[in-house]
């Protein structure tokens, strides 16, 4: 923002254009401050609810907030397979000429699927176990198929983490829900 403001101040332009650009940079700066404030609030709310979930490579505070908000109480899903079906990462059988094969389920919660996609991309770059899984499956399944397998594996990891976190919830909001 400082360099942009300096550029607007030093560039030769009409007073009207300079005023509009100055107003826009001021508005952008205000929005950036608001975003940082919201991210801080999310961090404060999510950290006590999902410490194990936040340890997973690729899960940020914002991603954890989306997972918590969209999934809600993890006990709704008695298994990771049911959660995978809800997120759209469970493969579904397709039958054609007496041959059974599986394809991606296009349904499911798209926000959760987006978080899983982002997490899989981050894990592909930074997590050795994910790289090994992808390397093992890419020759037979291709890059997209291997990423689908990684996303399904991530559902197992996320389900375990959220179940573990749920057992230790002591946040003031969840205490009311547990007592009811």
């Amino acid at each position: 923002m400082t360099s942009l403001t300096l550029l607007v101040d030093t560039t030769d332009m009409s007073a009207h254009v300079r005023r509009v650009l100055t107003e826009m940079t001021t508005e952008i700066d205000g929005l950036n401050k608001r975003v940082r404030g919201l991210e801080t609030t999310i961090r404060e709310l999510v950290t006590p609810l999902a410490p194990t979930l936040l340890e997973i490579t690729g899960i940020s505070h914002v991603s954890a907030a989306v997972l918590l908000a969209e999934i809600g109480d993890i006990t709704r899903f008695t298994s990771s397979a049911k959660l995978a079906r809800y997120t759209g990462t469970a493969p579904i059988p397709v039958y054609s000429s007496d041959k059974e094969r599986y394809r991606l389920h296009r349904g499911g919660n798209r926000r959760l699927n987006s978080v899983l996609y982002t997490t899989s991309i981050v894990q592909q770059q930074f997590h050795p176990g994910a790289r090994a899984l992808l390397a093992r499956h890419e020759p037979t399944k291709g890059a997209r198929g291997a990423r689908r397998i990684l996303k399904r594996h991530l559902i197992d990891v996320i389900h375990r983490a959220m179940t573990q976190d749920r057992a230790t919830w002591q946040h003031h909001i969840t205490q009311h829900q547990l007592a009811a």
Side-chain angles (χ1 to χ4, degrees):
M1 290 306 296
T2 305
S3 60
L4 183 59
T5 303
L6 181 64
L7 182 65
V8 168
D9 291 341
T10 59
T11 304
D12 185 33
M13 62 182 83
S14 70
H16 174 72
V17 171
R18 184 180 315 276
R19 182 178 51 79
V20 169
L21 287 174
T22 302
E23 288 174 4
M24 290 173 76
T25 56
T26 303
E27 184 178 353
I28 290 169
D29 190 41
L31 290 172
N32 283 337
K33 288 177 183 173
R34 185 171 175 210
V35 166
R36 283 191 295 274
L38 291 172
E39 286 176 346
T40 301
T41 302
I42 289 170
R43 184 179 313 261
E44 290 168 359
L45 292 172
V46 168
T47 300
L49 291 175
T52 309
L53 187 62
L54 290 168
E55 291 175 5
I56 299 171
T57 303
I59 302 282
S60 67
H61 286 86
V62 174
S63 297
V66 170
L67 288 167
L68 288 169
E70 293 291 326
I71 293 171
D73 188 358
I74 192 65
T75 58
R76 292 180 357 174
F77 302 98
T78 55
S79 70
S80 62
K82 290 180 181 181
L83 181 60
R85 176 81 174 153
Y86 179 71
T87 61
T89 56
I92 58 174
V94 176
Y95 301 97
S96 176
S97 67
D98 294 332
K99 290 184 181 180
E100 183 180 5
R101 63 182 187 86
Y102 294 88
R103 71 164 174 83
L104 177 65
H105 174 58
R106 290 187 183 92
N109 187 309
R110 304 316 299 161
R111 282 189 203 100
L112 290 175
N113 204 293
S114 174
V115 167
L116 291 169
Y117 177 80
T118 304
T119 304
S120 69
I121 295 297
V122 171
Q123 285 211 348
Q124 182 178 358
Q125 294 176 354
F126 298 108
H127 193 275
R131 279 197 298 265
L133 186 139
L134 290 169
R136 189 170 59 246
H137 289 286
E138 273 186 28
T140 57
K141 300 288 185 180
R144 291 174 67 194
R147 190 172 305 114
R148 281 188 213 116
I149 292 169
L150 176 59
K151 285 169 58 175
R152 178 59 183 91
H153 174 71
L154 280 171
I155 286 295
D156 292 338
V157 172
I158 287 169
H159 188 270
R160 265 193 312 274
M162 289 184 76
T163 302
Q164 185 177 349
D165 288 338
R166 172 67 170 86
T168 62
W169 276 358
Q170 295 188 3
H171 196 267
H172 69 280
I173 294 172
T174 57
Q175 286 301 317
H176 175 67
Q177 291 173 347
L178 292 174

